[in-house]
Amino acid sequence: MTPSREVPGCLNGVCFLPSPTMWPEKCQFRFVKKTLLFSSLAVAVLVVLRRYSYFPETSSNWHSRYGFSCKAKMVYPKPETLKPPYIRFLKTFIETAEKFFMVGYPVNYYIFTDLVSNVTNFNMTVGPRKQLIFLEVPSYERWQDVTMRRMQMIRDFTKQRFASEVDYLVCVDVDMRFQDHVGVEILSDVFGTLHPAFFVKGRDKFTFERRPESQAYIPEDEGDFYYAGGYFGGKVEEVYKLTNHCHHAMLTDKANNIEAIWHDESYLNNYFLYYKKPTKILSPEYLWNERDGTAFYLRKRRLISLHKNADEVRN
């Protein structure tokens, strides 16, 4: 399925926009990989569609060849195994992904967790050409730090591992269940998902970061759409650029005692507006919340947010 690059429109729930010339690419990448990747974050999961063919070792050095760098060392308190985990959502996530996500393609599920010993005890199996891989990440006292630090986690693992293993990353929260087909139609250089709570609302209702001193700032008279922080992705090199930018923006704000209103989601929206327009935009059918009812404009609801006690999960 090849969208028009000239006329914006929608097809099967996937909306396409022309790439504006006012945001030119700084680098041109040329790759021959044949794989896809899917991710869920931090208290979440990262999923990868493995490559079909062998890649030379030099293919993993794109981040250094294009001037990107990141520190692998992370200093953090020892994880506490008795703290309330997010892992109770994992079984539903994996089981439904096996039924509906990238069916027929090789997939790696990368699980980001600070409780590796706990999740490995889960009785979960995946099908042929699938792998379930647990990646240990730091624990944080505040849920706000967990959600913001996942940009750093994705960036670091992209450099350390994903750049040499996969072609595409799809980053999704783990407190979800699939209930309809999600396939290669979502893939593009970089894609975002329209937030279901703001899909039919005007720009004045968007909850962008409005403080000019923040790196996530968007003025009230600007902004195309409001994107959900829990579902984005694209080619590995593009996700690296996105997460690297957002992480450094957060560090700049933190040095100035600023915390964006919606944390990583605020920086994501700023990035998609000013630094890299999505080459594909997914409709809310790819990230629906049943609290928002059954919208007449959605024929399908492919990925659903699970009901949960937010205070319990976060604290």
Side-chain angles (χ1 to χ4, degrees):
M1 179 171 62
T2 304
S4 169
R5 304 300 295 174
E6 299 177 355
V7 182
C10 295
L11 178 61
N12 296 331
V14 182
C15 301
F16 308 98
L17 295 179
S19 299
T21 56
M22 60 187 299
W23 286 277
E25 289 292 336
K26 297 293 181 64
C27 305
Q28 296 296 323
F29 296 90
R30 294 185 180 181
F31 288 86
V32 294
K33 305 185 206 174
K34 304 295 181 184
T35 317
L36 318 169
L37 166 133
F38 169 84
S39 119
S40 267
L41 298 300
V43 277
V45 184
L46 191 76
V47 184
V48 183
L49 303 167
R50 300 193 305 267
R51 77 184 78 238
Y52 292 109
S53 57
Y54 171 77
F55 295 87
E57 292 184 2
T58 54
S59 67
S60 65
N61 295 327
W62 55 265
H63 47 78
S64 59
R65 286 189 288 117
Y66 290 98
F68 297 118
S69 64
C70 62
K71 296 180 179 179
K73 184 177 180 181
M74 300 178 73
V75 179
Y76 53 89
K78 176 186 177 297
E80 300 294 334
T81 57
L82 297 180
K83 287 186 177 180
Y86 241 74
I87 58 176
R88 62 184 172 195
F89 301 119
L90 182 57
K91 197 169 189 296
T92 296
F93 183 90
I94 295 297
E95 287 177 348
T96 58
E98 282 289 278
K99 292 176 63 177
F100 296 113
F101 180 73
M102 300 293 176
V103 176
Y105 292 90
V107 177
N108 287 359
Y109 300 99
Y110 289 90
I111 317 304
F112 284 23
T113 178
D114 63 342
L115 298 167
V116 171
S117 60
N118 289 37
V119 295
T120 52
N121 292 329
F122 272 50
N123 183 23
M124 292 183 293
T125 59
V126 294
R129 298 199 300 167
K130 306 289 181 70
Q131 289 192 61
L132 193 58
I133 302 168
F134 299 96
L135 301 176
E136 186 168 5
V137 296
S139 60
Y140 295 95
E141 294 295 327
R142 302 167 64 244
W143 69 265
Q144 294 92 337
D145 292 324
V146 172
T147 186
M148 287 195 291
R149 286 289 181 172
R150 63 186 177 179
M151 289 293 189
Q152 180 184 12
M153 295 173 193
I154 296 171
R155 182 201 68 170
D156 289 351
F157 275 109
T158 296
K159 179 182 179 181
Q160 297 164 14
R161 181 167 189 161
F162 303 147
S164 62
E165 294 182 353
V166 300
D167 293 315
Y168 290 90
L169 291 166
V170 183
C171 306
V172 182
D173 288 340
V174 75
D175 53 340
M176 301 280 178
R177 63 177 169 86
F178 292 87
Q179 68 174 32
D180 210 318
H181 170 82
V182 177
V184 295
E185 78 279 357
I186 72 172
L187 299 176
S188 187
D189 283 357
V190 60
F191 69 84
T193 306
L194 301 182
H195 197 297
F198 300 98
F199 182 58
V200 295
K201 294 184 179 179
R203 179 185 286 162
D204 60 318
K205 298 297 192 299
F206 293 170
T207 55
F208 293 140
E209 173 56 59
R210 300 301 190 185
R211 291 171 292 177
E213 58 270 25
S214 172
Q215 297 297 305
Y217 170 62
I218 297 177
E220 292 186 1
D221 60 347
E222 296 185 27
D224 300 324
F225 305 103
Y226 191 94
Y227 298 96
Y231 201 146
F232 65 91
K235 289 183 178 178
V236 173
E237 63 271 20
E238 291 297 337
V239 173
Y240 183 90
K241 289 191 287 186
L242 183 159
T243 53
N244 186 56
H245 172 88
C246 290
H247 174 59
H248 282 292
M250 293 175 198
L251 291 181
T252 299
D253 274 359
K254 185 176 182 179
N256 293 317
N257 295 314
I258 299 172
E259 188 170 276
I261 181 172
W262 287 114
H263 314 104
D264 56 311
E265 187 171 85
S266 298
Y267 297 97
L268 178 73
N269 273 276
N270 179 279
Y271 183 85
F272 278 161
L273 179 60
Y274 296 123
Y275 296 92
K276 175 71 176 184
K277 294 279 189 176
T279 52
K280 184 176 288 187
I281 299 174
L282 305 185
S283 84
E285 71 188 66
Y286 285 93
L287 184 62
W288 190 249
N289 192 323
E290 290 181 334
R291 290 176 303 179
D292 295 321
T294 55
F296 70 90
Y297 45 79
L298 289 186
R299 295 184 179 180
K300 293 181 179 290
R301 292 185 293 281
R302 302 174 188 272
L303 186 61
I304 304 292
S305 176
L306 297 176
H307 292 293
K308 56 189 175 294
N309 182 330
D311 290 336
E312 177 191 2
V313 171
R314 290 173 176 176
N315 298 324

